Amino acid sequence: MARVALLLAVLSVMGLMAVHAEDPYLYFTWNVTYGTISPLGVPQQVILIDGQFPGPNINCSSNNNIVINLFNYLDQPFLLSWNGIQHRKNSWQDGMPGTNCPILPGQNFTYHWQPKDQIGSYFYFPSLALHKAAGGFGGLRVNSRLLIPVPFDPPADDFTVLVGDWYTKNHNVLRRLLDSGRSINRPAGVLINGKSGENDKEPLFTMEAGKTYRYRICNVGLKTSLNFRIQSHTLKLVEIDGSHTVQNVYDSLDVHVGQCYSVLVAADQPVGDYYIVASTRFMKTVQTATAVIRYVGSSTPPSPVLPEAPVGWAWSLNQWRSFRWNLTASAARPNPQGSYHYGSINITRTIKLANSRFPADGKLRFALNGVSHVDPETPLKLAEYFNASDAVFKYNLIADEPPTAGAPLTVAPNVLTAEFRTFIEIVFENPEKSIQSYHLDGYSFFPVGMGPGKWTPESRKGYNLLDAVSRHTIQVYPGSWTAIMLTFDNAGMWNLRSEIWERHYLGQQLYISVVSPARSLRDEYNMPDNAFRCGAVVGLPLPPLYV
Ligand SMILES: *[C@@H]1O[C@H](CO)[C@@H](O)[C@H](O)[C@H]1NC(C)=O
Ligand SMILES: *[C@@H]1O[C@H](CO)[C@@H](O)[C@H](O)[C@H]1NC(C)=O
Ligand SMILES: *[C@@H]1O[C@H](CO)[C@@H](O)[C@H](O)[C@H]1NC(C)=O
Ligand SMILES: *[C@@H]1O[C@H](CO)[C@@H](O)[C@H](O)[C@H]1NC(C)=O
Ligand SMILES: *[C@@H]1O[C@H](CO)[C@@H](O)[C@H](O)[C@H]1NC(C)=O
Ligand SMILES: *[C@@H]1O[C@H](CO)[C@@H](O)[C@H](O)[C@H]1NC(C)=O
C-alpha cells in the first residue's frame, strides 16, 4: 500500500499519472466459510463473508479501485457478483457463471473493479447454485467524490439495511427441491440485516434527536417484494439504484427483489425507541420482521402497534409512477443527470420478452421467449473471447417477439446479441400471476412505462420520456408489462435475469453479448491475467490482445 502511494506521488509529480492509476485503491481479503446461526430461532448453516452474516459493507467512492481477494473455503464452487456495479468495459469482473469460471473449493480469485462514474447503493451476492439462500451477501455503497455536489446536506450517519425473505431450509435442500421439479414454496420469515427481531431487542441503529440520517434499503431476498417503513417517521426518498430522485416523502416504500432505495429520516419524534418494519407484499399470509432504532437517551420501548402496510397492487404501481429523476441534481459527474436526454434518442430495436414456465427433464423450467437458459461449463464470455463459441452455444435462439402458443420450448444457453451503442427498447411481458423483478448487469436503464394487460405500440403514448429514474432493477406486475430503454454502450457479456431466484436458477435469464467492432482497449479490457479458464477454453492460445 505504502509503495503504491509513493509510486503515485512520484508519477503525479512527474505529471505522468495515468487516468486508471490516479484513483485510490481499496484492498480486501475475504474468506468465504460456512457458519451456524439461528436467524429465525432454528440453527442453520449459513455462508459467512469474512466471518460475518450479512457480509461486510464495502464503503467506497466513485472510480475507486476495489481489489478483493476471495478465498473459497466452502465445499462447492463459488462466485460473488456485484448487483448494479456496471464494470464498464470489464464484464470479466461481473462474477456470473456466464462471465467467470467458478472459484473451486480451496482456491482464491482476486476481483479488481471500479464503480466508474457511479454513486449510490448496491449489494453483492453469491451467484451460483442457491447460495444466496444461505447469505453471502452484503451492502456496497459508492459515495460521491469530493467537489461533486450531492443534492442534500450530509446526513449525521449512513445506515445500510439489507431486507429479504428467508428460508430455514439448507440451500442444498432448496436446490434439490428445484432439481426434482418441486417449489421452494413460501419463505419462513423475513430478515433485516440478518435478524428477524424476534429474539433481538438491542437497537440496530442509534439516532440523535434533531439530526437526519440516511438509510440505504436493499432487498437481498430470494423472491418476495417487501414493504419498508419506520414507526412514526417519514421517508424522504433521495436515491434509487444509483440515481438521485426528486425528494418525495413517503410513509413506506415497496422494495422489490434486487432493488435499492436511499431515504433520509429526520429524528424529529419524541426521544424513544421505534420499530423499523419490513413485511411481505402480495402474499396471503404476511410475514414481518422488525428492528429497533433508538434515540440517544431513550428508555422508552417501542410501541407494539406496528404501522400498517399498504394492500394490493395498485398502490405499488402508483408509488412507482411517483418516482422521478431529479434532472438538475448531479450523480457521479458534475453535470446534471438530466443533461442525458434519453427521450430524444431514436429507438433502433424493440425486444419483447415474455416469461413462461413448462416441464422439462423432470423439472419445472422457467423461460424467456420460450428458451430456458442453462449455464454451459464454459463461461459464455470466455467462449466468445477465445473464438470457441461454436462449441458452446448458439447466438440468438430467441426472436425479438415471444413465440406463438404451441411453439417448441427449448432448454439451452440463451444469448442475444445487441449492436454496440444502439438505443434499444425492451418490453417485459408478464402473462403469469406472480410479480417479476428483472435486473440487467453492466447498465442502468430507464423504465419508461408500466401497465396492465398487453403492451402495444400505442402504449408508447404513455411513456415518461422526461424524468424516469435510471436504475438497474425493475418490477413487472402480474398480467402486466414494463418497458425500459437504454443505450448498449458497454461492451461485454451481460446477464439479464429474473431476480426471483428459483426462476433465475431454473432458466428465466439470458445473456446479452455486446461486441465493439473496433476490438480495441478503448471499448473493452482484455481478459485479466488471473482469470481462471475452464471447459472448452483450457489450453487454447490467447486471441490477439486488444490495444
Ligand atoms: C482465512 O482463512 C485462512 C485459512 O484458514 C486463515 O489462515 C486466515 O487467517 C483467514 N483470514 C481471515 C481474515 O480470517
Ligand atoms: C465511508 O466513507 C466515507 C467517505 O470516505 C467516510 O466519510 C465514512 O466515515 C465511511 N464510513 C464508514 C462506516 O466507514
Ligand atoms: C490468490 O491469492 C494470492 C495471494 O495470497 C494472489 O497472489 C493470487 O493472485 C490470488 N489468485 C488469483 C487467481 O487471483
Ligand atoms: C434536485 O436537486 C437539486 C440540486 O441540484 C436540489 O436543489 C433540489 O432540491 C432537488 N429537487 C427536488 C425536487 O428534490
Ligand atoms: C429520429 O427519427 C426521426 C424520424 O424518424 C428523424 O427525423 C430524426 O432526425 C431522428 N433523430 C436522430 C437523432 O437520429
Ligand atoms: C473463429 O473460429 C471459426 C470457426 O469456428 C473460424 O472460421 C474463424 O476463422 C475463427 N476466427 C479467428 C479470428 O480466429
Side-chain angles (χ1 to χ4, degrees):
M1 191 71 145
R3 222 159 73 197
V4 171
L6 180 64
L7 182 65
L8 288 184
V10 171
L11 285 177
S12 61
V13 168
M14 292 161 71
L16 284 174
M17 199 148 76
V19 174
H20 192 68
E22 73 189 354
D23 299 303
Y25 277 72
L26 299 184
Y27 293 95
F28 303 87
T29 303
W30 282 352
N31 282 352
V32 182
T33 55
Y34 283 126
T36 304
I37 57 167
S38 311
L40 289 176
V42 189
Q44 67 183 111
Q45 184 189 58
V46 296
I47 293 175
L48 307 175
I49 306 288
D50 206 16
Q52 298 175 43
F53 173 85
N57 269 325
I58 296 178
N59 179 22
C60 62
S61 299
S62 307
N63 303 358
N64 283 178
N65 286 282
I66 311 299
V67 182
I68 301 179
N69 195 354
L70 195 70
F71 287 77
N72 178 12
Y73 289 108
L74 306 183
D75 56 357
Q76 298 180 5
F78 187 81
L79 281 175
L80 281 185
S81 188
W82 323 91
N83 206 71
I85 298 297
Q86 291 173 13
H87 303 296
R88 296 205 69 84
K89 311 178 191 179
N90 200 5
S91 63
W92 302 110
Q93 306 296 331
D94 202 30
M96 295 303 292
T99 58
N100 293 71
C101 299
I103 309 170
L104 298 177
Q107 286 189 338
N108 68 294
F109 174 70
T110 311
Y111 291 88
H112 180 181
W113 49 265
Q114 291 182 282
K116 193 85 190 150
D117 290 331
Q118 290 193 267
I119 54 112
S121 311
Y122 308 95
F123 62 90
Y124 58 87
F125 68 96
S127 62
L128 300 185
L130 243 56
H131 292 161
K132 201 181 174 196
F137 42 71
L140 199 179
R141 62 186 253 210
V142 186
N143 303 300
S144 295
R145 286 172 293 167
L146 293 173
L147 307 178
I148 305 284
V150 175
F152 47 89
D153 292 335
D157 209 339
D158 192 312
F159 301 136
T160 296
V161 188
L162 302 178
V163 297
D165 54 14
W166 188 254
Y167 289 73
T168 47
K169 287 197 179 81
N170 182 279
H171 66 99
N172 291 316
V173 174
L174 294 173
R175 179 149 73 129
R176 279 197 294 274
L177 284 174
L178 296 181
D179 286 344
S180 64
R182 293 156 72 190
S183 161
I184 61 172
N185 287 318
R186 291 189 217 309
V190 174
L191 300 184
I192 300 176
N193 287 1
K195 294 179 173 155
S196 70
E198 277 302 309
N199 314 305
D200 201 278
K201 300 298 167 205
E202 281 308 298
L204 183 62
F205 302 120
T206 305
M207 304 202 291
E208 273 181 60
K211 294 192 171 168
T212 297
Y213 295 81
R214 180 174 186 164
Y215 285 70
R216 300 172 189 259
I217 306 121
C218 297
N219 187 335
V220 296
L222 293 191
K223 65 190 286 190
T224 314
S225 298
L226 297 173
N227 182 265
F228 176 89
R229 50 206 188 274
I230 304 180
Q231 221 170 26
S232 310
H233 292 75
T234 55
L235 314 173
K236 183 190 269 191
L237 182 67
V238 293
E239 181 240 352
I240 298 177
D241 292 355
S243 283
H244 284 134
T245 62
V246 166
Q247 295 171 10
N248 298 328
V249 175
Y250 299 92
D251 289 328
S252 74
L253 280 174
D254 272 357
V255 186
H256 306 286
V257 183
Q259 299 181 337
C260 293
Y261 294 81
S262 279
V263 297
L264 297 180
V265 177
D268 56 4
Q269 294 300 304
V271 168
D273 286 3
Y274 297 89
Y275 278 126
I276 289 180
V277 186
S279 62
T280 58
R281 290 282 270 138
F282 321 129
M283 288 191 352
K284 282 203 187 79
T285 315
V286 177
Q287 310 257 30
T288 304
T290 57
V292 173
I293 51 173
R294 176 165 297 166
Y295 281 46
V296 172
S298 161
S299 52
T300 318
S303 156
V305 185
L306 299 184
E308 282 198 36
V311 182
W313 304 98
W315 186 94
S316 195
L317 175 62
N318 285 334
Q319 176 165 81
W320 173 77
R321 290 211 169 104
S322 72
F323 297 152
R324 292 277 186 273
W325 220 22
N326 182 336
L327 298 176
T328 60
S330 302
R333 285 169 174 267
N335 54 323
Q337 295 178 130
S339 50
Y340 191 72
H341 297 285
Y342 69 93
S344 56
I345 311 176
N346 286 343
I347 299 165
T348 55
R349 179 176 169 195
T350 298
I351 306 173
K352 279 200 268 172
L353 295 173
N355 48 283
S356 63
R357 50 168 77 205
F358 58 89
D361 311 329
K363 299 179 192 181
L364 177 61
R365 301 286 321 187
F366 295 92
L368 288 171
N369 286 7
V371 174
S372 183
H373 173 83
V374 281
D375 294 311
E377 191 199 349
T378 314
L380 306 161
K381 177 69 199 168
L382 270 72
E384 184 175 78
Y385 189 72
F386 284 91
N387 192 29
S389 52
D390 286 1
V392 177
F393 67 93
K394 286 195 181 61
Y395 289 102
N396 300 318
L397 286 182
I398 61 168
D400 285 356
E401 289 280 331
T404 49
L409 303 158
T410 319
V411 179
N414 198 356
V415 185
L416 273 183
T417 53
E419 199 182 324
F420 189 51
R421 298 217 171 109
T422 50
F423 190 69
I424 294 181
E425 173 188 42
I426 301 177
V427 180
F428 296 106
E429 296 187 339
N430 179 13
E432 296 187 70
K433 291 197 187 85
S434 60
I435 192 166
Q436 310 294 324
S437 182
Y438 286 101
H439 174 93
L440 175 59
D441 282 356
Y443 293 94
S444 66
F445 52 72
F446 297 94
V448 289
M450 250 183 225
K454 274 219 155 239
W455 179 91
T456 68
E458 280 291 291
S459 309
R460 292 190 179 122
K461 290 191 174 139
Y463 280 5
N464 176 355
L465 294 178
L466 180 69
D467 57 1
V469 180
S470 174
R471 61 186 307 175
H472 55 64
T473 307
I474 196 67
Q475 71 272 19
V476 192
Y477 295 102
S480 301
W481 57 270
T482 293
I484 67 171
M485 291 178 169
L486 71 149
T487 305
F488 278 93
D489 57 358
N490 190 13
M493 181 70 77
W494 303 110
N495 190 222
L496 171 63
R497 60 174 168 269
S498 171
E499 289 277 331
I500 312 297
W501 219 237
E502 57 193 320
R503 289 176 171 264
H504 170 78
Y505 178 73
L506 291 166
Q508 193 175 319
Q509 53 166 317
L510 52 75
Y511 283 82
I512 302 187
S513 162
V514 184
V515 173
S516 153
R519 300 192 174 269
S520 145
L521 266 191
R522 193 194 60 204
D523 296 330
E524 190 171 11
Y525 296 159
N526 287 302
M527 186 181 79
D529 291 340
N530 70 333
F532 292 128
R533 295 211 212 167
C534 50
V537 301
V538 174
L540 292 188
L542 271 178
L545 292 182
Y546 292 172
V547 287

